[in-house]
């Protein structure tokens, strides 16, 4: 008996397209963005906690550093969203993202004890384009952007469109900078 050996990329020669599971695309998008957040938190030296039950905020991210002046460890709340309706590398300084007004009110509340940010992930429409792996990397596509919506007005009847800055890429460096500002008593 002969066994088929995987090629260097891990794919058996007779299979070119793997059969994907039957989970809804939106459920898979949620899982992907959580993986992105976990990777960013790990590279930033942050801890994560998921509130239970979820009351409109997905994650609490905490960061301890000797330079923090307000406490030895500071926390922010993170709301994750994911879409394939906005193309990668949006042109211009911002892109539009629409939130239900109830959700915007929660994210825009001010003043707060614990600051909140919205993190929006842009993904390709097709799941098979979401990630690539190689011997030296795992590449998630496309990107997450962040914004602090504190004080943002509700302008629509049921939903409000907010503008997400394309310069605010959510990565480990951005998260450390956010936590440094919060640790000094400032806003994200």
């Amino acid at each position: 008996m002969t066994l088929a050996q995987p090629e260097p990329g891990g794919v058996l020669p007779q299979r070119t397209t793997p059969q994907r599971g039957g989970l809804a695309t939106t459920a898979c998008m949620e899982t992907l963005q959580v993986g992105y957040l976990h990777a960013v938190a790990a590279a930033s030296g942050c801890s994560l906690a998921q509130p239970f039950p979820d009351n409109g905020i997905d994650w609490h991210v905490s960061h301890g550093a000797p330079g923090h002046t307000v406490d030895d460890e500071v926390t922010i709340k993170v709301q994750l969203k994911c879409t394939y309706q906005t193309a990668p590398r949006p042109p211009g300084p911002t892109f539009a993202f629409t939130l239900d007004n109830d959700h915007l009110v929660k994210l825009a509340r001010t003043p707060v004890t614990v600051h909140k940010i919205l993190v929006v992930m842009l993904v390709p429409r097709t799941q098979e384009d979401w990630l690539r792996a190689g011997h030296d990397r795992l590449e998630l596509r496309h990107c997450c952007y962040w914004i602090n919506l504190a004080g943002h007005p509700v302008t629509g009847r049921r939903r409000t469109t907010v503008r997400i800055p394309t310069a605010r890429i959510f990565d480990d460096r951005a998260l450390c900078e956010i936590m440094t500002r919060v640790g000094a008593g400032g806003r994200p």
Side-chain angles (χ1 to χ4, degrees):
M1 170 168 38
T2 331
L3 296 174
Q5 294 297 313
E7 292 179 0
V11 178
L12 293 174
Q14 67 269 24
R15 284 171 75 195
T16 56
T17 304
Q19 183 178 5
R20 299 194 184 275
L23 280 177
T25 301
T26 54
C28 294
M29 289 166 71
E30 287 179 27
T31 302
L32 184 68
Q33 66 188 2
V34 168
Y36 188 113
L37 176 66
H38 278 250
V40 168
S44 303
C46 291
S47 63
L48 294 170
Q50 194 171 19
F52 182 81
D54 174 344
N55 189 23
I57 294 296
D58 294 322
W59 292 91
H60 294 188
V61 180
S62 298
H63 181 267
H68 293 325
T69 58
V70 295
D71 201 344
D72 62 333
E73 182 177 76
V74 294
T75 299
I76 62 168
K77 297 177 182 181
V78 176
Q79 177 62 48
L80 298 173
K81 294 291 182 185
C82 190
T83 185
Y84 53 72
Q85 295 178 356
T86 301
R89 297 179 188 253
T94 64
F95 65 91
F97 188 79
T98 303
L99 287 168
D100 290 334
N101 286 345
D102 291 344
H103 221 135
L104 176 57
V105 166
K106 180 174 280 296
L107 293 170
R109 182 181 176 120
T110 187
V112 294
T113 304
V114 179
H115 295 281
K116 301 173 192 112
I117 63 171
L118 171 66
V119 175
V120 178
M121 184 173 195
L122 305 183
V123 295
R125 184 173 287 275
T126 309
Q127 274 180 265
E128 66 189 44
D129 295 329
W130 288 0
L131 70 97
R132 298 278 183 262
H135 293 281
D136 62 344
R137 74 185 180 291
L138 174 64
E139 177 182 296
L140 294 178
R141 300 182 60 217
H142 287 291
C143 189
C144 284
Y145 302 88
W146 72 276
I147 187 170
N148 175 1
L149 292 169
H152 194 287
V154 170
T155 57
R157 280 185 146 184
R158 293 189 193 116
R159 304 186 85 198
T160 297
T161 299
V162 298
R163 305 296 305 180
I164 311 294
T166 55
R168 287 193 182 160
I169 293 174
F170 187 71
D171 62 7
D172 58 321
R173 186 175 193 90
L175 183 55
C176 288
E177 290 169 354
I178 288 167
M179 293 308 213
T180 297
R181 287 189 294 271
V182 171
R187 292 174 43 162

